[in-house]
Amino acid sequence: MAKHSLLSELWAFMRVRKKWWLLPIILMLLLVGSLLVFAQGSALAPFIYTVF
């Protein structure tokens, strides 16, 4: 059995079962998560954390 990444399996799930409404939710979660990770060491961190 070939190993697939999480994103490729998620894409296959959405494509086969027509769950396209999941795509904006996943993209927003990735965007917010990357914003928190990349802004952790910056001077903007206190301002970003107050938003959430």
Side-chain angles (χ1 to χ4, degrees), residues 43-52:
L44 296 175
F47 302 109
I48 293 173
Y49 289 129
T50 57
V51 172
F52 299 108

Side-chain angles (χ1 to χ4, degrees), residues 30-52:
L30 288 173
L31 180 71
V32 170
S34 63
L35 175 70
L36 290 175
V37 167
F38 289 126
Q40 185 176 4
S42 73
L44 296 175
F47 302 109
I48 293 173
Y49 289 129
T50 57
V51 172
F52 299 108

Side-chain angles (χ1 to χ4, degrees), residues 3 5 18 23 30 33 36 45 47:
K3 292 190 177 192
S5 70
K18 308 288 192 255
L23 190 61
L30 288 173
L36 290 175
F47 302 109

Side-chain angles (χ1 to χ4, degrees), residues 12-28:
F13 171 79
M14 288 190 302
R15 192 180 70 233
V16 170
R17 291 183 173 74
K18 308 288 192 255
K19 301 288 185 184
W20 298 114
W21 56 270
L22 287 173
L23 190 61
I25 296 170
I26 293 169
L27 289 177
M28 288 304 296

